[in-house]
Amino acid sequence: MSTISTNLQAVQNHIADAAQKADRPPASVHLLAVSKTCPAQAVIEAARAGQHAFGENYEQEAIRKIQQIKEIAPDLALEWHFIGPIQSNKTRGIAAHFDWVHSVDRERIARRLSEQRPAGLPPLNVCLQINISHENSKSGVNAQEIIALAKTVSQLPGLKLRGLMAIPEPEDNPEKQHEPFRQMKNLYDELREQGYDLDTLSMGMTADMDAAIAEGATIVRIGTAIFGARN
Ligand SMILES: *Cc1c(COP(=O)(O)O)cnc(C)c1O
């Protein structure tokens, strides 16, 4: 077996264990393989090993890779998730080539993605990125603005609001990793109580997936544990 397929299997097992420890069905946690900076060949290898959904951060790199994979392996029907910061001039490419966007954090970007979603494609699945650690430098909408953004996004015809996403500040102590994820789960439950039809909590990366799963993640975004360390 290749390294990638071995890693993938190990990550799948890890997710299933973490879900079981949290009394959750393993199938309630989906794996998004984060392939940013990885060559098309690595994605194809993971796809041949059964991985379906891939996450990318950089629009140009991603679109080139998506097109390359379509040429090399036209039989693969992959699901592409955009998870990086979004500049206005990148929305057209993202709206045309992706199935999901996890990093919508302002109205202007949401409106552009909706307008630029090509006719004939289903609405783009959207998560609102929450600035859960309150870092000034990080992207993400602040807690007070979430409801307003959720309302806007849920009314845009080219988008389908699916849930929330966050990248908490890195924390080495596994005990302390839980708090921001718990806050995310509370926000998610609050929006659902207000009538928003959400089914997705995108949280947890290689270093903190256990805590995220314990607190209710439905998508974990894993790069390093599958593809190895990035440069
Ligand atoms: C790179 C990245 C990941 C994957 O991180 P790993 O630590 O390699 O698992 C997940 N989410 C986002 C938003 C990222 O940019």
Side-chain angles (χ1 to χ4, degrees):
M1 275 211 296
S2 78
T3 311
I4 288 174
S5 65
T6 310
N7 290 350
L8 202 49
Q9 191 56 58
V11 170
Q12 290 284 16
N13 293 342
H14 193 111
I15 290 170
D17 284 349
Q20 251 148 12
K21 277 192 196 124
D23 285 324
R24 302 181 52 198
S28 66
V29 186
H30 301 275
L31 172 59
L32 180 66
V34 177
S35 49
K36 65 181 173 211
T37 78
C38 296
Q41 213 43 253
V43 173
I44 292 171
E45 217 171 303
R48 297 278 180 231
Q51 180 62 29
H52 175 60
F54 292 87
E56 289 281 338
N57 290 54
Y58 312 105
E59 182 250 15
Q60 273 197 339
E61 179 203 344
I63 292 174
R64 202 177 309 132
K65 202 180 295 180
I66 291 168
Q67 285 170 339
Q68 237 179 326
I69 292 168
K70 271 193 190 134
E71 281 167 28
I72 309 172
D75 59 306
L76 290 176
L78 305 180
E79 190 177 273
W80 290 99
H81 296 230
F82 193 85
I83 61 174
I86 309 173
Q87 295 162 287
S88 298
N89 63 345
K90 306 291 186 193
T91 52
R92 189 174 297 278
I94 294 169
H97 290 95
F98 284 82
D99 305 292
W100 282 72
V101 178
H102 293 223
S103 42
V104 170
D105 64 355
R106 53 199 193 277
E107 195 175 314
R108 176 175 158 74
I109 294 296
R111 291 193 186 283
R112 289 177 67 95
L113 288 169
S114 178
E115 281 161 19
Q116 295 169 346
R117 181 67 169 170
L121 291 184
L124 190 55
N125 297 292
V126 163
C127 293
L128 307 183
Q129 183 174 350
I130 311 300
N131 184 0
I132 201 67
S133 300
H134 316 293
E135 294 169 274
N136 292 327
S137 58
K138 281 272 172 66
S139 6
V141 60
N142 293 316
Q144 342 50 288
E145 299 160 357
I146 293 168
I147 303 279
L149 186 60
K151 187 166 180 211
T152 301
V153 169
S154 65
Q155 291 169 348
L156 290 170
L159 307 184
K160 176 158 179 48
L161 181 61
R162 296 293 296 268
L164 307 178
M165 177 273 224
I167 313 169
E169 214 171 346
E171 169 58 64
D172 292 337
N173 180 345
E175 297 294 313
K176 292 188 181 162
Q177 290 174 347
H178 287 257
E179 187 52 31
F181 295 137
R182 200 173 295 142
Q183 289 173 14
M184 286 292 290
K185 177 65 162 63
N186 288 340
L187 283 171
Y188 173 80
D189 288 342
E190 206 177 300
L191 283 168
R192 281 169 52 99
E193 276 163 28
Q194 294 201 18
Y196 293 97
D197 180 23
L198 309 183
D199 61 6
T200 302
L201 250 185
S202 166
M203 56 189 199
M205 315 191 342
T206 295
D208 57 11
M209 65 174 130
D210 289 21
I213 292 167
E215 300 302 334
T218 68
I219 296 183
V220 289
R221 309 177 310 267
I222 309 297
T224 308
I226 298 170
F227 297 107
R230 293 177 293 273
N231 294 325

PDB file of all heavy atoms in Angstrom, residues 64-77:
ATOM      1  N   ARG A  64      -6.121  24.872 -11.262  1.00  0.00           N
ATOM      2  CA  ARG A  64      -5.170  24.169 -12.134  1.00  0.00           C
ATOM      3  C   ARG A  64      -5.202  22.670 -11.813  1.00  0.00           C
ATOM      4  O   ARG A  64      -5.245  21.818 -12.686  1.00  0.00           O
ATOM      5  CB  ARG A  64      -3.761  24.741 -11.929  1.00  0.00           C
ATOM      6  CG  ARG A  64      -2.841  24.488 -13.099  1.00  0.00           C
ATOM      7  CD  ARG A  64      -1.466  25.133 -12.889  1.00  0.00           C
ATOM      8  NE  ARG A  64      -1.544  26.536 -12.516  1.00  0.00           N
ATOM      9  CZ  ARG A  64      -0.870  27.091 -11.499  1.00  0.00           C
ATOM     10  NH1 ARG A  64      -0.085  26.363 -10.729  1.00  0.00           N
ATOM     11  NH2 ARG A  64      -0.987  28.386 -11.236  1.00  0.00           N
ATOM     12  N   LYS A  65      -5.193  22.372 -10.511  1.00  0.00           N
ATOM     13  CA  LYS A  65      -5.163  20.979 -10.065  1.00  0.00           C
ATOM     14  C   LYS A  65      -6.462  20.246 -10.445  1.00  0.00           C
ATOM     15  O   LYS A  65      -6.442  19.120 -10.923  1.00  0.00           O
ATOM     16  CB  LYS A  65      -4.981  20.967  -8.542  1.00  0.00           C
ATOM     17  CG  LYS A  65      -4.426  19.695  -7.985  1.00  0.00           C
ATOM     18  CD  LYS A  65      -4.282  19.788  -6.457  1.00  0.00           C
ATOM     19  CE  LYS A  65      -3.247  20.832  -6.032  1.00  0.00           C
ATOM     20  NZ  LYS A  65      -3.129  20.899  -4.564  1.00  0.00           N
ATOM     21  N   ILE A  66      -7.586  20.928 -10.251  1.00  0.00           N
ATOM     22  CA  ILE A  66      -8.885  20.313 -10.567  1.00  0.00           C
ATOM     23  C   ILE A  66      -8.939  19.966 -12.051  1.00  0.00           C
ATOM     24  O   ILE A  66      -9.377  18.876 -12.446  1.00  0.00           O
ATOM     25  CB  ILE A  66     -10.044  21.273 -10.174  1.00  0.00           C
ATOM     26  CG1 ILE A  66     -10.134  21.394  -8.651  1.00  0.00           C
ATOM     27  CG2 ILE A  66     -11.370  20.801 -10.772  1.00  0.00           C
ATOM     28  CD1 ILE A  66     -11.040  22.526  -8.153  1.00  0.00           C
ATOM     29  N   GLN A  67      -8.451  20.897 -12.890  1.00  0.00           N
ATOM     30  CA  GLN A  67      -8.492  20.658 -14.332  1.00  0.00           C
ATOM     31  C   GLN A  67      -7.530  19.552 -14.746  1.00  0.00           C
ATOM     32  O   GLN A  67      -7.864  18.706 -15.582  1.00  0.00           O
ATOM     33  CB  GLN A  67      -8.225  21.969 -15.078  1.00  0.00           C
ATOM     34  CG  GLN A  67      -9.461  22.863 -15.003  1.00  0.00           C
ATOM     35  CD  GLN A  67      -9.238  24.282 -15.501  1.00  0.00           C
ATOM     36  OE1 GLN A  67      -8.086  24.750 -15.547  1.00  0.00           O
ATOM     37  NE2 GLN A  67     -10.309  24.967 -15.857  1.00  0.00           N
ATOM     38  N   GLN A  68      -6.355  19.556 -14.121  1.00  0.00           N
ATOM     39  CA  GLN A  68      -5.361  18.503 -14.391  1.00  0.00           C
ATOM     40  C   GLN A  68      -5.937  17.123 -14.069  1.00  0.00           C
ATOM     41  O   GLN A  68      -5.781  16.177 -14.840  1.00  0.00           O
ATOM     42  CB  GLN A  68      -4.163  18.744 -13.469  1.00  0.00           C
ATOM     43  CG  GLN A  68      -2.836  18.904 -14.151  1.00  0.00           C
ATOM     44  CD  GLN A  68      -1.766  19.150 -13.093  1.00  0.00           C
ATOM     45  OE1 GLN A  68      -2.000  19.774 -12.051  1.00  0.00           O
ATOM     46  NE2 GLN A  68      -0.576  18.638 -13.349  1.00  0.00           N
ATOM     47  N   ILE A  69      -6.596  17.035 -12.925  1.00  0.00           N
ATOM     48  CA  ILE A  69      -7.144  15.745 -12.494  1.00  0.00           C
ATOM     49  C   ILE A  69      -8.248  15.288 -13.446  1.00  0.00           C
ATOM     50  O   ILE A  69      -8.340  14.107 -13.766  1.00  0.00           O
ATOM     51  CB  ILE A  69      -7.636  15.834 -11.031  1.00  0.00           C
ATOM     52  CG1 ILE A  69      -6.431  16.013 -10.100  1.00  0.00           C
ATOM     53  CG2 ILE A  69      -8.442  14.597 -10.639  1.00  0.00           C
ATOM     54  CD1 ILE A  69      -6.783  16.403  -8.686  1.00  0.00           C
ATOM     55  N   LYS A  70      -9.039  16.248 -13.925  1.00  0.00           N
ATOM     56  CA  LYS A  70     -10.089  15.888 -14.895  1.00  0.00           C
ATOM     57  C   LYS A  70      -9.490  15.285 -16.158  1.00  0.00           C
ATOM     58  O   LYS A  70     -10.063  14.387 -16.772  1.00  0.00           O
ATOM     59  CB  LYS A  70     -10.904  17.132 -15.267  1.00  0.00           C
ATOM     60  CG  LYS A  70     -12.087  17.347 -14.341  1.00  0.00           C
ATOM     61  CD  LYS A  70     -13.048  18.387 -14.901  1.00  0.00           C
ATOM     62  CE  LYS A  70     -14.082  18.752 -13.842  1.00  0.00           C
ATOM     63  NZ  LYS A  70     -14.281  20.215 -13.728  1.00  0.00           N
ATOM     64  N   GLU A  71      -8.304  15.790 -16.553  1.00  0.00           N
ATOM     65  CA  GLU A  71      -7.657  15.267 -17.761  1.00  0.00           C
ATOM     66  C   GLU A  71      -7.020  13.911 -17.521  1.00  0.00           C
ATOM     67  O   GLU A  71      -7.173  12.987 -18.311  1.00  0.00           O
ATOM     68  CB  GLU A  71      -6.583  16.254 -18.253  1.00  0.00           C
ATOM     69  CG  GLU A  71      -7.173  17.423 -19.010  1.00  0.00           C
ATOM     70  CD  GLU A  71      -6.171  18.545 -19.222  1.00  0.00           C
ATOM     71  OE1 GLU A  71      -4.940  18.249 -19.288  1.00  0.00           O
ATOM     72  OE2 GLU A  71      -6.601  19.712 -19.303  1.00  0.00           O
ATOM     73  N   ILE A  72      -6.290  13.793 -16.406  1.00  0.00           N
ATOM     74  CA  ILE A  72      -5.565  12.542 -16.132  1.00  0.00           C
ATOM     75  C   ILE A  72      -6.522  11.424 -15.737  1.00  0.00           C
ATOM     76  O   ILE A  72      -6.329  10.273 -16.117  1.00  0.00           O
ATOM     77  CB  ILE A  72      -4.548  12.712 -14.972  1.00  0.00           C
ATOM     78  CG1 ILE A  72      -3.639  13.924 -15.200  1.00  0.00           C
ATOM     79  CG2 ILE A  72      -3.709  11.450 -14.799  1.00  0.00           C
ATOM     80  CD1 ILE A  72      -2.754  14.254 -14.007  1.00  0.00           C
ATOM     81  N   ALA A  73      -7.524  11.776 -14.941  1.00  0.00           N
ATOM     82  CA  ALA A  73      -8.404  10.748 -14.370  1.00  0.00           C
ATOM     83  C   ALA A  73      -9.871  11.160 -14.511  1.00  0.00           C
ATOM     84  O   ALA A  73     -10.535  11.471 -13.535  1.00  0.00           O
ATOM     85  CB  ALA A  73      -8.045  10.525 -12.901  1.00  0.00           C
ATOM     86  N   PRO A  74     -10.379  11.167 -15.759  1.00  0.00           N
ATOM     87  CA  PRO A  74     -11.745  11.655 -15.994  1.00  0.00           C
ATOM     88  C   PRO A  74     -12.826  10.812 -15.310  1.00  0.00           C
ATOM     89  O   PRO A  74     -13.956  11.262 -15.146  1.00  0.00           O
ATOM     90  CB  PRO A  74     -11.891  11.600 -17.518  1.00  0.00           C
ATOM     91  CG  PRO A  74     -10.804  10.710 -18.006  1.00  0.00           C
ATOM     92  CD  PRO A  74      -9.709  10.753 -16.997  1.00  0.00           C
ATOM     93  N   ASP A  75     -12.459   9.606 -14.893  1.00  0.00           N
ATOM     94  CA  ASP A  75     -13.451   8.742 -14.240  1.00  0.00           C
ATOM     95  C   ASP A  75     -13.718   9.157 -12.794  1.00  0.00           C
ATOM     96  O   ASP A  75     -14.716   8.745 -12.208  1.00  0.00           O
ATOM     97  CB  ASP A  75     -12.967   7.288 -14.257  1.00  0.00           C
ATOM     98  CG  ASP A  75     -11.628   7.127 -13.536  1.00  0.00           C
ATOM     99  OD1 ASP A  75     -10.670   7.853 -13.894  1.00  0.00           O
ATOM    100  OD2 ASP A  75     -11.540   6.311 -12.602  1.00  0.00           O
ATOM    101  N   LEU A  76     -12.839   9.973 -12.214  1.00  0.00           N
ATOM    102  CA  LEU A  76     -13.011  10.355 -10.802  1.00  0.00           C
ATOM    103  C   LEU A  76     -13.991  11.513 -10.691  1.00  0.00           C
ATOM    104  O   LEU A  76     -13.821  12.545 -11.336  1.00  0.00           O
ATOM    105  CB  LEU A  76     -11.673  10.793 -10.192  1.00  0.00           C
ATOM    106  CG  LEU A  76     -10.613   9.712  -9.976  1.00  0.00           C
ATOM    107  CD1 LEU A  76      -9.329  10.350  -9.462  1.00  0.00           C
ATOM    108  CD2 LEU A  76     -11.116   8.638  -9.019  1.00  0.00           C
ATOM    109  N   ALA A  77     -15.022  11.352  -9.879  1.00  0.00           N
ATOM    110  CA  ALA A  77     -15.951  12.456  -9.614  1.00  0.00           C
ATOM    111  C   ALA A  77     -15.695  12.926  -8.182  1.00  0.00           C
ATOM    112  O   ALA A  77     -16.194  12.333  -7.234  1.00  0.00           O
ATOM    113  CB  ALA A  77     -17.388  12.002  -9.791  1.00  0.00           C
TER     114      ALA A  77
END
